[in-house]
C-alpha cells in the first residue's frame, strides 16, 4: 500500500511492506550487497559506480567498511526498472516482497513526481529520496538515495524511568502502551532477554517512554498515570515492579470502568500502594506528563506500539536479540567506535 503524506515542503510517500525481512544489505559489506545481485551482470564503471542493465548506475557510500547509503541514477526503461527495484529490495532486505510493488511504482505512479523534488519514500525503517525528470520524448529518469531513517538523538524526549548507565554507548528506547497486547509480549519476552544479556554488559541503557494509544485503548493513559504515581512515591524499583504487573495482569484491567480504583487496588495488592499513591492516581497528578509524552511520540511520527529504537535507528524485529547487536555494529561503523 502507498500512502501520500504532507510534511513541510517535502512530499513523503510511504510504502508499507507486509512481509518478514531478512537482514538488510545496508549495514553489511559492499561485497555482500553485490553478491545479492548475482543474477545481473554488474560492471564497475571505475569511479565507484556500477552499471546494470540499460546503463542504470548504482553507487555506494561506505562507513566503517559497511554500506551506509545506496545511490542510483538512470532512465526508467526496459530492464532498468526491474534492476533498480531489485537493488532497493536487496538493500532493505525485503527482497521480492518489495521489488514487485516498486516495479509497479516506477512503471506507474513515479510520473506524478516529475519536477516535484525533493520527493521521499518512507519504506518501513528506510527513507528513499527521489528526483524524477522527464525528457521531451517522454522518457523518465530518476536519481535516488536510500538509507536508514535515523532520528537525531536530541529529538528524543527524556525518559522518566530507565535501566542502565546514563552515559551508555547504546540506548534502547521503547515507546509503549500498557494496554497494548504486543507491548505485553515485549515486556514478557524481549525485556527479560535485554536485562539478562545486554544490560549486564555495562554499555547499554533501556528507556521506557509512554505512548498510550487512547483512541483504541481507553485505560492506557490511566495505567501510565498510575505507574508514574507508584514510581514517585516508592521509587524506580517500584515503577518497574508495577510496570511488570500491569502487563502480566493486562486482561484483568483492560475493560475496567473505574480504572483509577482498579490501579490503586493493584498497587495495594503489590504492597506499592498507600494513601499518597491513591490520592495521586485519583487526582491524575501525572496526566499532563503522560499527555506530553504522547505528544512527543507523535512528533517523532510514531503510530504504533511498541516502537523500539536502538540509538537513532528504529528496530524492525524487536523480539530478536541479534537485531539489537546488529544495530550496535552499525552505530560503531557509522559513527565510530569509542
Amino acid at each position: 500500500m502507498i500512502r501520500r503524506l504532507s510534511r513541510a515542503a517535502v512530499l513523503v510517500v510511504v510504502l508499507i511492506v507486509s512481509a518478514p525481512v531478512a537482514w538488510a544489505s545496508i549495514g553489511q559489506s559492499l561485497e555482500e550487497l553485490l553478491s545479492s545481485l548475482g543474477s545481473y551482470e554488474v560492471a564497475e564503471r571505475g569511479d565507484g559506480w556500477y552499471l546494470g542493465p540499460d546503463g542504470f548506475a548504482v553507487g555506494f557510500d561506505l562507513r566503517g567498511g559497511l554500506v551506509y547509503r545506496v545511490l542510483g541514477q538512470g532512465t526508467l526503461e526496459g530492464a532498468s526498472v526491474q534492476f533498480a527495484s531489485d537493488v532497493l529490495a536487496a538493500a532493505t532486505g525485503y527482497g521480492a516482497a518489495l521489488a514487485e510493488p516498486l516495479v509497479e511504482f516506477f512503471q506507474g505512479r513515479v510520473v506524478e513526481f516529475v519536477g516535484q523534488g525533493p520527493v521521499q519514500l518512507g519504506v518501513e525503517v528506510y527513507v528513499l529520496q527521489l528526483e524524477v525528470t522527464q525528457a521531451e520524448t517522454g522518457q523518465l529518469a530518476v536519481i535516488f538515495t536510500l538509507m536508514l531513517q535515523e532520528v537525531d538523538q536530541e529529538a528524543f524526549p527524556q525518559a522518566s524511568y530507565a535501566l542502565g548507565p546514563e552515559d551508555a554507548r547504546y540506548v534502547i528506547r521503547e515507546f509503549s502502551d500498557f494496554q497494548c497486547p504486543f507491548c505485553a509480549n515485549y515486556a514478557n519476552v524481549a525485556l527479560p532477554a535485554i536485562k539478562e544479556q545486554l544490560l549486564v554488559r555495562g554499555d547499554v541503557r533501556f528507556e521506557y517512554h509512554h505512548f498510550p494509544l487512547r483512541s483504541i485503548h481507553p485505560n492506557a493513559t490511566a495505567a501510565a498515570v498510575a505507574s508514574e504515581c507508584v514510581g514517585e512515591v516508592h521509587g524506580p524499583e517500584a515503577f518497574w515492579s508495577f510496570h511488570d504487573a500491569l502487563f502480566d495482569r493486562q486482561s484483568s484491567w483492560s475493560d475496567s470502568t473505574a480504572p483509577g480504583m482498579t490501579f490503586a487496588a493493584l498497587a495495594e495488592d503489590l504492597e506499592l500502594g498507600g494513601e499518597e499513591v491513591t490520592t495521586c492516581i485519583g487526582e491524575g497528578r501525572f496526566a499532563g506528563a503522560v499527555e506530553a509524552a504522547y505528544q512527543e511520540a507523535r512528533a517523532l511520527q510514531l503510530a504504533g506500539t511498541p516502537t523500539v529504537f536502538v540509538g537513532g535507528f528504529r528496530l524492525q524485529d524487536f523480539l530478536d536479540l541479534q537485531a539489537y547487536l546488529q544495530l550496535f555494529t552499525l552505530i560503531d561503523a557509522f559513527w565510530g567506535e569509542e
Side-chain angles (χ1 to χ4, degrees):
M1 180 173 67
I2 298 177
R3 197 157 51 89
R4 190 181 300 189
L5 304 172
S6 176
R7 184 184 179 187
V10 179
L11 179 64
V12 179
V13 178
V14 179
L15 289 174
I16 301 174
V17 183
S18 300
V21 59
W23 182 241
S25 293
I26 283 187
Q28 295 193 17
S29 70
L30 177 57
E31 290 73 19
E32 288 171 305
L33 194 154
L34 292 175
S35 68
S36 68
L37 300 173
S39 60
Y40 291 97
E41 294 184 4
V42 180
E44 188 169 4
R45 200 167 68 179
D47 56 358
W49 287 77
Y50 295 79
L51 293 179
D54 294 319
F56 198 95
V58 291
F60 309 95
D61 280 350
L62 305 181
R63 286 192 180 178
L66 302 181
V67 176
Y68 176 65
R69 295 192 303 174
V70 177
L71 314 172
Q73 59 182 22
T75 58
L76 294 173
E77 61 178 1
S80 67
V81 172
Q82 186 68 58
F83 175 67
S85 300
D86 286 342
V87 168
L88 295 171
T92 60
Y94 284 104
L98 179 59
E100 184 176 342
L102 276 175
V103 167
E104 295 176 359
F105 178 80
F106 284 138
Q107 289 178 334
R109 289 197 52 195
V110 77
V111 69
E112 300 173 20
F113 308 121
V114 171
Q116 293 191 30
V119 177
Q120 291 184 351
L121 296 177
V123 187
E124 297 291 340
V125 298
Y126 301 90
V127 59
L128 174 65
Q129 183 165 306
L130 294 173
E131 182 176 351
V132 186
T133 59
Q134 187 172 26
E136 292 182 1
T137 59
Q139 188 179 56
L140 293 176
V142 65
I143 298 174
F144 68 66
T145 301
L146 176 79
M147 62 190 301
L148 280 167
Q149 295 183 37
E150 185 174 10
V151 176
D152 188 327
Q153 297 286 315
E154 299 298 322
F156 287 112
Q158 183 174 354
S160 298
Y161 295 95
L163 302 169
E166 291 186 9
D167 61 348
R169 168 70 169 165
Y170 312 105
V171 181
I172 301 167
R173 297 176 174 92
E174 180 201 7
F175 289 80
S176 184
D177 172 328
F178 281 119
Q179 199 174 341
C180 162
F182 301 104
C183 299
N185 190 41
Y186 186 89
N188 293 326
V189 177
L191 187 52
I194 290 170
K195 291 178 180 178
E196 294 170 8
Q197 300 184 50
L198 297 183
L199 291 180
V200 294
R201 293 165 37 132
D203 60 353
V204 178
R205 176 178 173 88
F206 177 85
E207 296 182 354
Y208 183 89
H209 294 266
H210 295 297
F211 187 29
L213 303 179
R214 54 202 181 191
S215 63
I216 57 174
H217 297 147
N219 289 339
T221 296
V225 169
S227 73
E228 290 288 333
C229 289
V230 169
E232 181 191 45
V233 175
H234 296 291
E237 289 189 10
F239 168 85
W240 290 110
S241 295
F242 197 68
H243 161 283
D244 294 346
L246 283 171
F247 284 123
D248 286 341
R249 307 188 191 187
Q250 190 182 76
S251 61
S252 70
W253 58 260
S254 289
D255 296 327
S256 174
T257 56
M261 295 176 59
T262 299
F263 295 133
L266 175 58
E268 289 290 345
D269 187 45
L270 298 170
E271 299 183 353
L272 298 174
E275 183 178 349
E276 191 173 353
V277 170
T278 300
T279 300
C280 178
I281 293 174
E283 293 176 346
R285 188 177 304 165
F286 286 92
V290 171
E291 173 63 18
Y294 172 84
Q295 295 299 338
E296 288 169 328
R298 293 288 294 169
L300 292 172
Q301 298 193 350
L302 308 188
T305 55
T307 299
V308 182
F309 290 88
V310 176
F313 298 115
R314 184 177 160 192
L315 196 64
Q316 292 178 286
D317 188 355
F318 45 72
L319 296 180
D320 180 7
L321 205 63
Q322 188 62 30
Y324 294 82
L325 297 174
Q326 288 169 328
L327 284 181
F328 290 177
T329 299
L330 260 64
I331 290 170
D332 289 339
F334 291 172
W335 304 116
E337 295 188 56
E338 292 184 352

